[in-house]
Amino acid sequence: MALLPLDPDQLLTTTRAVRRRLDFSRPVPAELIRECVAIALQAPSASNVVTMGFVVVTEAAKRQAIGALYREVYAVYKASPAYAGRQLQDQERAAQQARVARSADYLGEHLGESPALVIAVNQGSDREQALAGMGSVLPAMWSFMLAARARGLGTAWTSMHRAREQEVAELLGIPYDTVVQAVLSPLAFTKGTDFQPARRPEPDEVIHWEAW
Ligand SMILES: Cc1cc2nc3c(=O)[nH]c(=O)nc-3n(C[C@H](O)[C@H](O)[C@H](O)COP(=O)(O)O)c2cc1C
């Protein structure tokens, strides 16, 4: 499949969290997922050891079970002070946060309908070591998402299912004692491919030149 005509900066600035524009009606070919994983494996990893893994779920019953669990965790988040729709510092930001909240609400209801779910994991000799090495799976997952975007696929980084991680581990046969689930993302073709850069702070708001 041809890649979208995006230069590196366009790819990096238009890979959005896609939720309402996921096309649930179109299956994602396994070969495309393999390509994304091959690219993800080029990401940096501690000691150049591959401890990360990608659990890809396409079976409907499993997706629905994960979706139901995510819906429950999302309901708890929605009632909490951390809910995106409650982060209303100023008017412009409030409008942006309201959009994010609406979009996240949608995923809360529909995650399990995505044709594929991808769980990025990190493995260790025990759970503590697997957790300590999480830095090895996060860059890989972001690379996966960039590679997906280049192929017309949408993803959305989520991690709140970790509140019920053990149940997902049991459902999928993931060894809970040695494998930590870092990220859960839907994976689907997007409805249209015209994603735009988002409003973000100016660089100097976050750069600390020479010292804090
Ligand atoms: C650590 C982390 C956790 C996140 N958790 C969720 C989540 O549980 N549900 C969700 O819909 N989006 C989640 N997101 C996605 C963010 O909401 C999203 O990246 C942010 O709103 C910016 O959106 P944009 O990339 O489309 O500009 C998470 C992102 C990160 C980095």
Side-chain angles (χ1 to χ4, degrees):
M1 167 180 175
L3 299 182
L4 297 181
L6 299 168
D7 70 31
D9 283 358
Q10 287 171 328
L11 181 66
L12 285 163
T13 57
T14 65
T15 301
R16 302 262 72 80
V18 185
R19 305 180 186 94
R20 285 187 292 181
R21 290 177 63 185
L22 296 169
D23 185 348
F24 295 150
S25 69
R26 238 177 118 185
V28 179
E31 201 43 43
L32 278 190
I33 301 177
R34 268 195 204 95
E35 286 179 22
C36 295
V37 170
I39 288 168
L41 288 170
Q42 295 289 331
S45 61
S47 307
N48 194 29
V49 177
V50 173
T51 55
M52 73 283 261
F54 298 85
V55 183
V56 179
V57 183
T58 60
E59 285 176 28
K62 288 179 181 163
R63 287 188 285 114
Q64 279 157 15
I66 295 168
L69 195 136
Y70 184 81
R71 189 178 300 123
E72 288 175 26
V73 176
Y74 190 83
V76 174
Y77 160 74
K78 195 169 174 179
S80 79
Y83 177 53
R86 228 166 258 124
Q87 311 300 311
L88 309 174
Q89 293 93 334
D90 58 63
Q91 220 174 11
E92 194 184 343
R93 184 114 173 87
Q96 189 189 27
Q97 287 304 102
R99 280 195 301 277
V100 171
R102 260 200 321 279
S103 172
D105 288 356
Y106 177 84
L107 191 67
E109 281 302 312
H110 299 282
L111 179 77
E113 293 166 46
S114 178
L117 300 177
V118 179
I119 302 176
V121 304
N122 194 53
Q123 186 157 23
S125 53
D126 56 30
R127 207 166 159 80
E128 198 181 333
Q129 200 208 18
L131 266 170
M134 284 272 257
S136 285
V137 66
L138 304 182
M141 188 53 178
W142 181 234
S143 290
F144 179 97
M145 291 173 156
L146 293 166
R149 160 79 172 130
R151 287 159 178 75
L153 297 167
T155 57
W157 189 292
T158 84
S159 52
M160 65 175 66
H161 86 284
R162 296 196 60 225
R164 308 270 296 273
E165 183 182 342
Q166 196 158 6
E167 286 165 69
V168 175
E170 277 161 23
L171 179 75
L172 302 176
I174 299 171
Y176 183 75
D177 291 343
T178 51
V179 176
V180 168
Q181 298 168 40
V183 185
L184 163 62
S185 176
L187 181 69
F189 284 99
T190 55
K191 296 177 186 165
T193 57
D194 56 328
F195 294 90
Q196 300 300 319
R199 189 176 156 268
R200 293 289 198 253
E202 291 301 316
D204 280 335
E205 291 179 51
V206 300
I207 300 174
H208 307 271
W209 296 109
E210 316 303 349
W212 190 272

